[in-house]
Amino acid sequence: MILSGWVQRVRDKGGMIWIDLRDRYGITQLIFDEGKTEKQIIKTARSLGREFVILASGKVMERYAKNDKIPTGDIEIEVTRLEILNESKTPPFIIEDETDGGEDLRMKYRYLDLRRNPVRKSLELRHKMLQETRKYLDNQQFMEVETPYLIKSTPEGARDFIVPSRVNQGQFYALPQSPQTFKQLLMVSGIDRYFQIVRCFRDEDLRADRQPEFTQIDCEMSFIQIEDILNTFEGLVKHLLKEVIGYELTEIKQMSYDDAMKYYGSDKPDTRFDMRFTELNEVAKGKGFNVFDQAELIVGICASGCANYSRKQIDALTEYIKRPQIGAKGLVYVKCNEDGSYKSSVDKFYSQEDLANWAKNMNATKGDLLLILSGEKDVTRNALSELRLKLGDDLKLKNRTEFKALWVLDFPLLEWNEDTGRYHAMHHPFTSPKHEDLGKLESDPGTVKANAYDMVINGVEVGGGSIRIHSRELQQQMFKILGFSENEAQKQFGFLMDAFEYGAPPHGGIAFGFDRLSALLGGSDSIRDYIAFPKNNSGRDVMIDSPSEISKDQLDELGISLK
Ligand code: ASP
């Protein structure tokens, strides 16, 4: 047996030397016995350092002390040949499952980090996801088509990454935020099932775990209804869970956007645990408690078995939701005591009977803790959603090995933006309004619902899409509502609207966030672990040191002058 790989560890006990050799498949123990092994080989073995690249061969032996943690733990190699293929400097961090290297150091030497088992395993999972995605979609007659990366800048959505054109000075390409318009044009071309596993680029303000470039499974279908899309992509998600991690996903529930907001305060509810919202306006107003009386919404959750929370614990929850990012004003609690009495932070205003009524509304029983927020509807729902998720963590209700998938449907078409004083498309401007709402498009655009859907798994939005507009008139009307002049709309999206005049089929599609989906199946919160060469939180690649300045000559050639 001949093995090649890297020296992970050398243990020299005088008469015996053991070396852990690591390759892509794992660790194998090499053994050198001063009594048996050739002197020259022993000498070479003693000269090895961590991460030296070696070739070894010898006799496979059953191991005396077996290691059941690794697949090759039952055997060891009694070495009869040993060659050093290359030496190595001592690496800046330990290349083992648990390393002493911090994030920055590991990213600077990412090629060494990738030698570590957990990181390599993440990439293996990603590889499997890629293969299985292609397999499933190919089987369903989807055709993989590549669309260009150097395209045209459009103002809708996030900010574009811009690439200057040397041969057309003063003009710029943009990198695609998604292949949206191209995939729609492919439908006009008659490629009725398209997919692409594609890199997308968005120059957004960086948040933890956002990458400026990321990968999507991008899909589009013609001649379909919403149900066809939901069925096809439920199939994809089930296939991936089964083939990649052996998880049998039986059902994918459906929930309207309005219900998601009403019962979970979020358009991506984590349904691994219940703790649904109960609105209490009817039963909590009119008893002299000003805060509630003036609130647009009074809404609460029931934390099962938490009536024994201490003052300190409740204060900590209150502080959590009062942080500026969440912005709640205060938290009202009701403890449903074991003796049938109630203890609340608003006892002054509410009788035992009132509190019993709340508890009944919230399906609470003895031993439960009611947590109630009030105020402006959207802010309050959001704050309670954050509180719910925190309790989900605290009470260990989020099981990483369980997957609860959900379609969120019937999104609003538009959302009002206070800053710009106009409507923005909630999904994107190509999403079709629901047929029955077309009449309200001009008169009451805010209430129009869209033919849009998101797939949410364990509180993570893993994919989203819509049935598209496929007529010039409706697309034009949409741009008008979004505040585009006819001229602007034609200049930016004329190519698409022109195409709609040449027999565009009804169509719709979806895109999945591939990095996020990989992380989810891998049981991790960090998408970075699933990207071979990711950027850090400031959008930098610290290994190649990018972005970086370019030379004066390069700038001149591009006709760009820096201030
Ligand atoms: N292009 C959309 C996105 O990137 C997805 C879709 O509508 O298919 O979010």
Side-chain angles (χ1 to χ4, degrees), residues 178 180 183 202 216 218 220 427-428 464-466 468 509-511:
S178 88
Q180 184 62 36
K183 67 174 172 175
R202 294 184 192 170
Q216 284 190 340
D218 191 46
E220 198 76 7
H427 188 54
H428 53 51
S466 59
R468 326 296 185 187
I510 190 165

Side-chain angles (χ1 to χ4, degrees), residues 489-524:
Q490 183 58 30
K491 202 164 151 219
Q492 278 163 25
F493 297 107
F495 62 94
L496 184 68
M497 292 190 288
D498 292 347
F500 286 171
E501 293 185 292
Y502 291 96
H507 61 283
I510 190 165
F512 287 90
F514 186 74
D515 310 293
R516 184 137 289 139
L517 197 57
S518 302
L520 192 75
L521 265 62
S524 164

Side-chain angles (χ1 to χ4, degrees), residues 477-493:
Q477 193 184 6
M478 187 69 191
F479 282 128
K480 195 168 140 217
I481 293 166
L482 295 173
F484 284 70
S485 72
E486 212 166 299
N487 227 336
E488 278 167 345
Q490 183 58 30
K491 202 164 151 219
Q492 278 163 25
F493 297 107

